[in-house]
Amino acid sequence: MSGTKSGGHADDPFQEGGGSLLRQPKAVWATAGASVVAFMGIGLVDPILPSIARGLHASNSQVSLLFTSYFLITAFAMLVTGFVSSRIGGRKTLLAGLALVVVFAALSGMSGSVGELVGFRAGWGLGNALFVSTSLAVIVGAAAGGSAAAILLYESALGLGMACGPLLGAILGDLKWRYPFFGTAALMAIGFVAITAFLKEQPRPARKTSLLDPLRALGHGGLASAAVAAFFYNYAFFTVLAFTPFVLDMSPYSSGGVFFAWGVLLAVFSVLVAPRLQHRFGSLKVLGGSLLLLAADLLVLGYGDHTTAVVCTVLSGAFIGLNNTVFTELALGVSDAPRPVASAGYNFVRWFAAAAAPFLAPKIEEWTDLHIPFVVAAAAAVAGAGIVAVRRRALTIEAAELEPRHAAQDGVSAFAN
């Protein structure tokens, strides 16, 4: 990926073969549809966090552990998913992940205490990691139109899921906070049936992935730099996702509407805007600029009035969408390690920030005041931009040199966005 004019869109479906993104086999649509529901599960609890806190007589920091347990398990699962999928195959790994989500989402809805709910969310995180980490490679393997079309379809599923998750949470959660969990279990069960019916087993990689391969891949300077930069970015991202609902303190419907608009911007900028900006300015300039803009947005969010906080929350979706797409492509192309292995190592590092931010932000508020968690998140985004600038040479590659090698290596990916 060139630091000047690249971005991995030589086969950009918006510029060549314009309809390739939509003309896909049933197996791709079944996997993408289930991916939408999987990503919905991330933001599902956003609009009902205050309702859960009241219903289970829990504090804000206790309820925030719903994100921490989920993403902590997801981080460690990155070392396991490639190991599992390279042995049992992509289809079985997807189905195992879906089955776990169905079970633990249903159990979450039956929780009698915040401790039980946090524990069940951890099991949900394991299932989601198995599914999401494998879905990109399955889509890449089955999609028509090349890897660029597959990545954009995956990003579309991510954006749609992140937008619809809070909306579903608001609609069902307004009736009772338990209902969004039962709704997710039902939708994932439908996804299980669809993948069983339409997806055939994918080819397995020639070489089985070991548990230590993702950690060894991080020895590559470019991949390590991308992972650390993404770590700081994810801290900022999940401060918005997990802490802002407490700051906005709105009804489930209002909060769901805010995060629906946020998710729509995320999807539009991830799928439509990012490729064009990368083509014009280069991936690293887009990444550094969007990280700095996210930092500025967070500072205004933290110190503005309620209306300003709502606007900045929605606007942050644009910068998060840009960052998601560029970081995805860096993880897939910056090193010469097999894509499943490189992405597993990358995600192992970055998901720790997604686990840390929901826990630390409420604690920082307790120790200081309401503004400081956003100052810390903004500083994290600036740190990510600084790493991109300082490590620019390590992050700059010629994508064309690695593409044939990666094409031969693509099996079952350990990637989760």
Side-chain angles (χ1 to χ4, degrees), residues 43-384:
L44 179 83
V45 299
D46 256 30
I48 57 171
L49 286 175
S51 299
I52 294 173
R54 289 191 295 269
L56 295 178
H57 308 289
S59 67
N60 291 352
S61 58
Q62 287 176 316
V63 173
S64 293
L65 291 175
L66 296 178
F67 285 99
T68 297
S69 63
Y70 182 94
F71 287 113
L72 191 61
I73 294 299
T74 298
F76 282 108
M78 289 300 104
L79 302 180
V80 177
T81 52
F83 176 88
V84 172
S85 59
S86 65
R87 285 162 174 78
I88 69 173
R91 183 175 182 272
K92 291 179 181 177
T93 304
L94 290 179
L95 293 175
L98 287 169
L100 286 172
V101 172
V102 170
V103 170
F104 283 104
L107 289 173
S108 294
M110 295 185 283
S111 299
S113 68
V114 69
E116 287 183 8
L117 183 53
V118 169
F120 292 142
R121 277 283 284 182
W124 185 342
L126 175 60
N128 219 49
L130 287 170
F131 176 82
V132 175
S133 65
T134 309
S135 60
L136 176 60
V138 169
I139 290 173
V140 169
S147 61
I151 289 173
L152 288 176
L153 186 61
Y154 181 82
E155 292 290 345
S156 300
L158 186 154
L160 186 59
M162 295 296 277
C164 293
L167 197 60
L168 178 67
I171 294 171
L172 297 179
D174 191 59
L175 301 173
K176 194 171 186 179
W177 69 261
R178 299 179 186 275
Y179 290 169
F181 299 108
F182 296 136
T184 300
L187 289 173
M188 281 305 227
I190 294 171
F192 185 97
V193 172
I195 287 178
T196 300
F198 296 117
L199 181 65
K200 297 179 180 179
E201 185 57 82
Q202 302 294 295
R204 301 183 193 181
R207 177 181 175 273
K208 294 180 180 178
T209 301
S210 78
L211 294 175
L212 295 180
D213 281 349
L215 297 178
R216 295 190 185 103
L218 290 170
H220 184 278
L223 182 62
S225 299
V228 175
F231 174 91
F232 286 108
Y233 156 62
N234 270 259
Y235 185 93
F237 177 179
F238 284 94
T239 296
V240 174
L241 191 61
F243 182 65
T244 304
F246 296 116
V247 176
L248 298 180
D249 193 23
M250 303 167 78
S251 68
Y253 269 121
S254 298
S255 182
V258 169
F259 279 95
F260 174 73
W262 170 86
V264 169
L265 270 189
L266 187 154
V268 169
F269 274 75
S270 178
V271 177
L272 299 177
V273 179
R276 288 166 170 77
L277 290 180
Q278 288 174 274
H279 179 74
R280 181 169 181 177
F281 299 108
S283 295
L284 299 187
K285 288 182 180 179
V286 172
L287 184 58
S290 62
L291 285 168
L292 293 177
L293 288 171
L294 177 60
D297 181 79
L298 287 168
L299 288 176
V300 177
L301 193 163
Y303 283 93
D305 59 20
H306 189 268
T307 300
T308 302
V310 169
V311 172
C312 288
T313 299
V314 173
L315 185 59
S316 70
F319 309 127
I320 289 169
L322 293 175
N323 290 327
N324 281 351
T325 292
V326 181
F327 271 121
T328 296
E329 294 185 0
L330 280 177
L332 290 177
V334 74
S335 80
D336 58 357
R339 279 175 171 165
V341 173
S343 60
Y346 161 81
N347 283 289
F348 173 72
V349 173
R350 76 175 182 122
W351 283 124
F352 277 109
F359 174 75
L360 290 177
K363 290 294 184 183
I364 293 171
E365 181 198 9
E366 292 174 9
W367 300 330
T368 57
D369 59 45
L370 185 65
H371 310 300
I372 303 303
F374 294 102
V375 174
V376 173
V382 171

Side-chain angles (χ1 to χ4, degrees), residues 367-410:
W367 300 330
T368 57
D369 59 45
L370 185 65
H371 310 300
I372 303 303
F374 294 102
V375 174
V376 173
V382 171
I387 292 170
V388 171
V390 172
R391 297 291 294 168
R392 186 179 189 86
R393 186 177 297 275
L395 290 169
T396 301
I397 65 168
E398 292 300 329
E401 294 179 4
L402 290 180
E403 189 63 34
R405 198 182 318 170
H406 283 311
Q409 293 165 344
D410 273 333

